[in-house]
Amino acid sequence: MAIQGECPKCGKRVLHVNVESVVGVVDGTSKARCLSYSCIHCNAVLGVQIDHRGKPRARSKPAADA
Protein backbone atom coordinates (compact mmCIF):
# COMPACT_ATOMS: atom_id res chain seq x y z
CA MET A 1 0.00 0.00 0.00
CA ALA A 2 1.31 3.44 -0.92
CA ILE A 3 1.99 6.10 1.68
CA GLN A 4 -0.57 8.86 1.30
CA GLY A 5 -0.50 12.19 3.11
CA GLU A 6 -2.95 15.03 3.46
CA CYS A 7 -2.52 18.61 2.38
CA PRO A 8 -2.20 20.76 5.53
CA LYS A 9 -4.29 23.53 3.95
CA CYS A 10 -7.24 21.80 2.24
CA GLY A 11 -7.08 18.38 3.94
CA LYS A 12 -7.38 16.40 0.70
CA ARG A 13 -5.18 13.38 0.05
CA VAL A 14 -1.96 14.20 -1.78
CA LEU A 15 -1.61 11.61 -4.53
CA HIS A 16 -0.05 13.99 -7.08
CA VAL A 17 1.81 17.29 -6.78
CA ASN A 18 2.63 20.16 -9.08
CA VAL A 19 6.40 20.39 -9.56
CA GLU A 20 7.89 23.73 -10.54
CA SER A 21 11.45 24.87 -11.09
CA VAL A 22 12.32 27.88 -8.91
CA VAL A 23 15.47 29.79 -7.99
CA GLY A 24 16.79 29.94 -4.44
CA VAL A 25 17.81 33.49 -3.46
CA VAL A 26 20.15 34.52 -0.63
CA ASP A 27 20.56 38.24 0.16
CA GLY A 28 19.05 39.17 -3.18
CA THR A 29 21.43 36.99 -5.21
CA SER A 30 20.41 33.83 -7.09
CA LYS A 31 22.25 30.91 -5.50
CA ALA A 32 20.69 27.60 -6.56
CA ARG A 33 18.13 25.97 -8.78
CA CYS A 34 15.35 24.42 -6.69
CA LEU A 35 12.15 22.39 -7.05
CA SER A 36 8.87 23.46 -5.47
CA TYR A 37 6.09 20.95 -4.73
CA SER A 38 2.50 22.17 -4.37
CA CYS A 39 -0.95 20.65 -3.83
CA ILE A 40 -2.89 20.11 -7.07
CA HIS A 41 -6.15 21.00 -5.32
CA CYS A 42 -5.36 24.31 -3.56
CA ASN A 43 -1.81 25.15 -4.78
CA ALA A 44 -0.41 25.29 -1.22
CA VAL A 45 3.37 24.85 -1.23
CA LEU A 46 4.19 21.51 0.39
CA GLY A 47 7.97 21.74 0.12
CA VAL A 48 11.01 23.12 -1.65
CA GLN A 49 14.37 21.47 -2.17
CA ILE A 50 17.59 22.07 -4.08
CA ASP A 51 17.59 20.46 -7.53
CA HIS A 52 20.89 18.59 -7.55
CA ARG A 53 20.41 17.71 -11.21
CA GLY A 54 20.00 21.39 -12.13
CA LYS A 55 23.59 22.41 -11.51
CA PRO A 56 24.49 25.65 -13.26
CA ARG A 57 26.53 25.20 -16.39
CA ALA A 58 29.91 26.84 -16.73
CA ARG A 59 29.74 29.95 -18.84
CA SER A 60 31.92 29.84 -21.88
CA LYS A 61 34.04 32.87 -22.69
CA PRO A 62 33.56 34.45 -26.11
CA ALA A 63 36.21 33.50 -28.64
CA ALA A 64 38.92 36.15 -29.03
CA ASP A 65 39.33 37.58 -32.52
CA ALA A 66 42.79 36.94 -33.98
Side-chain angles (χ1 to χ4, degrees):
M1 185 168 181
I3 297 173
Q4 300 169 353
E6 290 183 356
C7 173
K9 183 177 178 185
C10 68
K12 293 185 179 180
R13 288 192 339 184
V14 178
L15 300 174
H16 300 87
V17 294
N18 291 321
V19 179
E20 184 177 359
S21 180
V22 296
V23 177
V25 177
V26 177
D27 294 329
T29 305
S30 299
K31 293 293 184 183
R33 294 181 185 178
C34 301
L35 296 173
S36 172
Y37 305 98
S38 59
C39 175
I40 63 169
H41 305 290
C42 67
N43 293 320
V45 175
L46 303 173
V48 177
Q49 72 180 41
I50 293 174
D51 183 3
H52 295 286
R53 296 182 310 150
K55 294 180 182 175
R57 294 184 294 176
R59 294 184 180 180
S60 60
K61 295 181 181 180
D65 292 331

